[in-house]
Amino acid sequence: RSNGCIVSSNIAPSTSTVSVTQNRTFAWAYEGMPYFKPYEIFAPETSNAVMSAILFYDLNDAGSAGNPETKLNNPNELFKYGGFHGGTWRCAYEVDSIGEASVFIYFGRLAMPYVGIVAVVGVAVGAKLTGMF
């Protein structure tokens, strides 16, 4: 921008790519993060499409923040206007502070049917032992 060139420098959201989710801990945390609104984990196709659209906008629209003709109060505003952050900038929690809780939520969701079955069996056994049946 300072040399009169159009730039495009945008921040992509958390995306469940193969390279990220091959780490099981990341995959588990990504499954639980949407419970911490407004976090959202995007599919690779979604991130690719939106980031491409932002790139084309930056390169072709005279009003984009990447255009040197557009006045910015601070150079970091370039990221402000092109941010597709998936809620990271608006959430009350930092990503690294909710990782363990996200994994716990994920496994809790997986265990829910089994907890129900164990509860029903426990009630049946308790009823049998107390002579209710």
Side-chain angles (χ1 to χ4, degrees), residues 61-101:
D61 193 294
S64 82
N67 189 322
E69 304 288 320
T70 303
K71 179 172 175 3
L72 300 178
N73 294 323
N74 185 306
N76 287 329
E77 285 185 337
L78 182 65
F79 304 109
K80 173 183 171 183
Y81 296 114
F84 175 50
H85 50 79
T88 303
W89 295 349
R90 296 181 296 130
C91 190
Y93 310 102
E94 292 183 10
V95 175
D96 55 348
S97 70
I98 63 168
E100 293 85 2

Side-chain angles (χ1 to χ4, degrees), residues 6-132:
I6 295 174
V7 297
S8 183
S9 181
N10 301 299
I11 298 171
S14 299
T15 305
S16 58
T17 59
V18 172
S19 63
V20 172
T21 57
Q22 72 184 4
N23 179 326
R24 289 190 320 202
T25 306
F26 271 105
W28 298 334
Y30 270 20
E31 290 294 325
M33 278 195 183
Y35 288 91
F36 294 91
K37 298 293 181 196
Y39 276 118
E40 189 167 346
I41 308 301
F42 291 92
E45 298 80 13
T46 305
S47 290
N48 287 342
V50 173
M51 294 306 293
S52 295
I54 295 171
L55 170 66
F56 294 139
Y57 170 77
D58 284 345
L59 297 178
N60 295 304
D61 193 294
S64 82
N67 189 322
E69 304 288 320
T70 303
K71 179 172 175 3
L72 300 178
N73 294 323
N74 185 306
N76 287 329
E77 285 185 337
L78 182 65
F79 304 109
K80 173 183 171 183
Y81 296 114
F84 175 50
H85 50 79
T88 303
W89 295 349
R90 296 181 296 130
C91 190
Y93 310 102
E94 292 183 10
V95 175
D96 55 348
S97 70
I98 63 168
E100 293 85 2
S102 296
V103 171
F104 183 75
I105 289 169
Y106 169 68
F107 281 115
R109 267 192 15 232
L110 286 180
M112 197 59 65
Y114 302 106
V115 170
I117 291 169
V118 169
V120 168
V121 169
V123 168
V125 168
K128 181 74 170 172
L129 291 176
T130 58
M132 293 179 75

